[in-house]
Amino acid sequence: MYAADENRYDGRMPVRRAGNKGLQLPAVSFGMWHSFGDEANYSDSEKVILKAFDSGIFSFDLAYNYGPGSGAAERLFGQVYQANLKPYRDELVITTKAGYHMWPGPYGQMSSRKTLINALDGSLKRMGLDYVDIYYSHRFDPNTDPAETAEALDSIVRSGKALYIGISNYNNAQTKAIMKIFKELHTPFVVNQLSYNMLNREVEDDGVLDTLKENNLGMVAYGPLAEGLLTNRYLGGIPEDFQIHWSSTDVMDQGRAKLTEKLNQLNEIAKNRDQTMAQMSLAWLLKDPVVVSVVTGASKVSHLEDNLKAVQNIRFSADEIEKIDSIIKG
């Protein structure tokens, strides 16, 4: 019988607030995008999820399409939740999303009212939950009036099936448009989840980061390690078959050799901070208070423990920030 570590809130994992909202998240959230599909080993998955909770990570980030196999990650998490975490439901922040391909037909993606409501019902059933803490529109729907999306999300909160609303992959203009409707509806909109890392600064250039700050909202950063580029794995070179996430393709613009050179320079800064490059990359995101949490996955307990060390030092000197920026922009 699982019993959570009594010292899980001993301060090892900082807790951060989304602007001036009631939503609080651990600095690191546990993401289930990769490694939790139909072929995942249940025992290994259970170990790393429970280790995350024992380490102060009380936020678990899912989506209908996470797997591989639509619904697979939610099913697996639901099994672990029912077997171990259900007594701790009031402590947990469980989030899911709808918008990318989920099931066949025209309603199996995007952000219509029917899609969002049907998707959440399926997600709740798979996880064995009465509600999720944050429900996200996973991407902007260019063919549906944002008012329909916003009103559907607002009605979901009022139905009791979600406590807060989030958006994901919405750029600055899209964020401003739907935020205006949320304000009129008094919807508890709290965060935008976006791709962000040391190499991919699109959220800075686009202005969405500033918009979130100005409106006392939070940002949740996904892809913090750029599919592993910001680890020690590719210091010797990036293979030709390496696949970057669609949101970070620009980081390859100068070619693999130039990027490898930059990675080695960044690694030297990390060494001087007594951090791995992965730890420094997570810490770099957390230096900005608008980043309420960084989503990172782990298929092994050792990987999780390594990532957790990042929160021990999230302070950067002006010189370090300047050096990092000059490397990235060089």
Side-chain angles (χ1 to χ4, degrees), residues 140-293:
F140 180 78
D141 184 342
N143 299 311
T144 298
D145 186 340
E148 177 177 335
T149 298
E151 288 164 6
L153 293 167
D154 183 75
S155 69
I156 282 168
V157 171
R158 296 182 191 282
S159 74
K161 293 179 180 179
L163 302 185
Y164 294 100
I165 290 302
I167 54 177
S168 182
N169 300 306
Y170 278 55
N171 65 26
N172 192 32
Q174 294 160 355
T175 298
K176 286 180 173 179
I178 201 163
M179 182 175 64
K180 181 176 182 291
I181 306 166
F182 284 142
K183 284 182 177 178
E184 292 167 356
L185 295 170
H186 301 289
T187 308
F189 166 52
V190 286
V191 291
N192 191 348
Q193 185 172 142
L194 294 157
S195 176
Y196 189 28
N197 56 61
M198 278 199 297
L199 300 174
N200 174 14
R201 309 288 189 86
E202 176 60 28
V203 297
E204 297 174 13
D205 300 336
D206 173 62
V208 65
L209 209 58
D210 290 333
T211 292
L212 295 172
K213 287 178 188 176
E214 290 161 7
N215 288 277
N216 287 310
L217 297 163
M219 178 193 162
V220 173
Y222 77 80
L225 304 180
E227 278 64 63
L229 286 176
L230 290 168
T231 68
N232 294 339
R233 199 179 311 159
Y234 300 107
L235 295 177
I238 303 165
E240 287 300 320
D241 61 354
F242 176 81
Q243 295 292 316
I244 191 73
H245 188 261
W246 61 263
S247 62
S248 293
T249 53
D250 288 353
V251 308
M252 309 287 279
D253 279 356
Q254 291 180 304
R256 292 164 196 269
K258 181 66 174 176
L259 181 54
T260 301
E261 182 185 324
K262 291 181 179 183
L263 295 178
N264 279 276
Q265 291 172 333
L266 291 171
N267 191 49
E268 289 304 310
I269 298 175
K271 283 181 186 176
N272 290 333
R273 289 172 54 84
D274 293 320
Q275 290 181 318
T276 64
M277 185 153 60
Q279 290 163 359
M280 182 178 77
S281 299
L282 297 174
W284 182 87
L285 287 164
L286 292 167
K287 75 184 184 331
D288 189 339
V290 76
V291 179
V292 62
S293 191

Side-chain angles (χ1 to χ4, degrees), residues 102-137:
M102 297 171 286
W103 62 81
Y107 289 106
Q109 60 183 334
M110 292 298 179
S111 297
S112 72
R113 179 176 179 83
K114 177 175 172 61
T115 297
L116 292 172
I117 290 173
N118 288 356
L120 181 55
D121 284 345
S123 295
L124 293 175
K125 186 175 181 180
R126 277 187 294 279
M127 292 188 282
L129 300 174
D130 295 323
Y131 69 94
V132 292
D133 296 271
I134 308 174
Y135 189 46
Y136 289 92
S137 167

Side-chain angles (χ1 to χ4, degrees), residues 64-112:
Y64 193 120
N65 68 310
Y66 286 0
S70 282
E74 290 177 330
R75 272 193 301 275
L76 192 152
F77 178 78
Q79 290 170 345
V80 176
Y81 168 77
Q82 294 296 329
N84 305 280
L85 294 174
K86 195 170 183 178
Y88 306 97
R89 179 64 183 102
D90 290 350
E91 298 177 35
L92 301 174
V93 174
I94 303 170
T95 74
T96 197
K97 315 176 196 74
Y100 285 95
H101 179 77
M102 297 171 286
W103 62 81
Y107 289 106
Q109 60 183 334
M110 292 298 179
S111 297
S112 72

